[in-house]
Amino acid sequence: MIRTGLMEIVRHKEIADRVFEMTVIGQQTTAMQQPGQFVHIRIAEHSEPLLRRPISICSIEQETLEFTMIYRVDGRGTQLLSQKRPGDSIDVMGPLGNGFPVVASPEVHAFLIGGGIGVPPLYELAKRLAESGVKMTIILGFQSKKDVFYEEQFKEFGDTFITTVDGSHGLPGYVTDQLALLQEVPSIYYSCGPHAMLHAVEAALPNIPGFLSYEQRMGCGIGACFACVCPTTKGNGDYVKVCSDGPVFQAGVIA
Ligand SMILES: Cc1cc2nc3c(=O)[nH]c(=O)nc-3n(C[C@H](O)[C@H](O)[C@H](O)COP(=O)(O)OP(=O)(O)OC[C@H]3O[C@@H](n4cnc5c(N)ncnc54)[C@H](O)[C@@H]3O)c2cc1C
Ligand code: FES
């Protein structure tokens, strides 16, 4: 059930270059069930910035009614968000969208592949998969060492490999360079990151069931404004709305 209301910030800190981890508390957390869903945040009480900003749910703690987001300061909205302090409130709409299906079998070997600010939604997914005894191999790609976050947290769930484009930490190159070095083949994979990375991951793991989380510019976040439409591989003008049909789609759906 989608809820909208004020939530209080309980923790907020910079964890990598321009990357912030924010934990908020409130009753809305009880509605957050599926990893990979997102919230839509109204940044300011006044009319600017007008549109809400979509941010993924990174971690859900039902016992304390808290959930955590990780965001990178990009433009005006996230810059204003980064100035908020513990004790301040933010207007949160969510949970929105369809997240990752959680397979629940110790027979499964899942690859989790994240790129940059696409890493956060994989964290709650990893928690759920670990509860089901799923074996995980995790690959996280960043531009540079200063951008890396949550390496230690993911290591708790399985073999964790880091790649950086400039080679300053982990394997030099892209997540697909690390994929090519691995001996094992996954039974399922999950990925979130830039479109180009998602397409490269799909191509590197053909014939394996995969679930990919897409980002698209958004307006309403609930399927009403068509701001977030994406063409599908069916062609002929067929499209999906990333906010309400996704953001997670099966591999092979998005063109
Ligand atoms: C489903 C989903 C989950 C996301 N999860 C995260 C996350 O966990 N952490 C994170 O840092 N970022 C995430 N993003 C991207 C984030 O929404 C944008 O970086 C953010 O909206 C930029 O806002 P801004 O005001 O700083 O930038 P501006 O450039 O000032 O934003 C202007 C407008 O563009 C939209 N916009 C800009 N970039 C994007 C983008 N990449 N995707 C969608 N809309 C965009 C904004 O919503 C706003 O309406 C997610 C996006 C989507 C669609
Ligand atoms: S953002 Fe309005 S339809 Fe998706």
Side-chain angles (χ1 to χ4, degrees):
M1 188 215 300
I2 300 171
R3 300 182 180 188
T4 306
L6 292 178
M7 298 186 80
E8 186 186 326
I9 299 168
V10 288
R11 289 182 290 283
H12 193 195
K13 63 175 181 192
E14 193 169 4
I15 57 171
D17 184 34
R18 294 184 301 124
V19 176
F20 288 76
E21 179 190 61
M22 175 187 277
T23 301
V24 299
I25 187 167
Q27 281 298 329
Q28 275 144 283
T29 305
T30 56
M32 297 174 183
Q33 301 299 335
Q34 208 184 7
Q37 289 184 296
F38 66 100
V39 293
H40 220 192
I41 296 178
R42 188 166 173 211
I43 306 287
E45 284 113 53
H46 41 84
S47 60
E48 193 277 326
L50 183 63
L51 293 173
R52 288 174 181 269
R53 301 304 198 243
I55 302 289
S56 301
I57 295 166
C58 170
S59 183
I60 306 165
E61 304 297 338
Q62 292 294 358
E63 308 78 45
T64 53
L65 295 180
E66 294 175 357
F67 85 93
T68 298
M69 299 163 272
I70 293 178
Y71 65 91
R72 186 176 56 216
V73 172
D74 266 344
R76 173 90 177 131
T78 44
Q79 211 267 324
L80 285 171
L81 195 61
S82 72
Q83 291 166 5
K84 305 240 179 228
R85 297 176 171 196
D88 290 348
S89 293
I90 52 167
D91 182 331
V92 177
M93 178 198 280
L96 299 177
N98 297 300
F100 295 108
V102 180
V103 290
S105 163
E107 310 299 310
V108 169
H109 183 180
F111 279 13
L112 276 59
I113 306 156
I117 211 61
V119 167
L122 298 178
Y123 184 68
E124 180 63 29
L125 173 70
K127 281 166 58 186
R128 305 290 178 94
L129 294 174
E131 283 164 15
S132 305
V134 169
K135 183 181 176 192
M136 278 175 264
T137 298
I138 298 148
I139 307 173
L140 309 176
F142 300 92
Q143 286 296 322
S144 180
K145 186 176 182 179
K146 67 180 176 25
D147 305 308
V148 176
F149 61 90
Y150 268 39
E151 179 177 1
E152 294 307 315
Q153 286 88 334
F154 275 98
K155 277 183 178 167
E156 289 180 23
F157 301 121
D159 290 338
T160 300
F161 301 91
I162 305 291
T163 65
T164 51
V165 176
D166 71 0
S168 52
H169 189 57
L171 184 79
Y174 297 112
V175 290
T176 40
D177 295 313
Q178 181 64 61
L179 261 181
L181 294 177
L182 296 178
Q183 305 295 327
E184 288 173 288
V185 176
S187 35
I188 189 169
Y189 70 92
Y190 300 93
S191 191
C192 183
H195 283 220
M197 185 200 98
L198 295 180
H199 283 309
V201 167
E202 260 182 324
L205 295 169
N207 308 317
I208 294 169
F211 293 90
L212 310 168
S213 182
Y214 282 84
E215 276 192 16
Q216 190 66 287
R217 288 185 173 247
M218 290 191 178
C220 68
I222 53 168
C225 74
F226 287 69
C228 67
V229 292
C230 252
T232 73
T233 47
K234 284 186 194 162
N236 298 323
D238 191 58
Y239 65 84
V240 288
K241 293 176 188 168
V242 170
C243 70
S244 52
D245 298 321
V248 175
F249 295 92
Q250 254 181 304
V253 169
I254 302 285

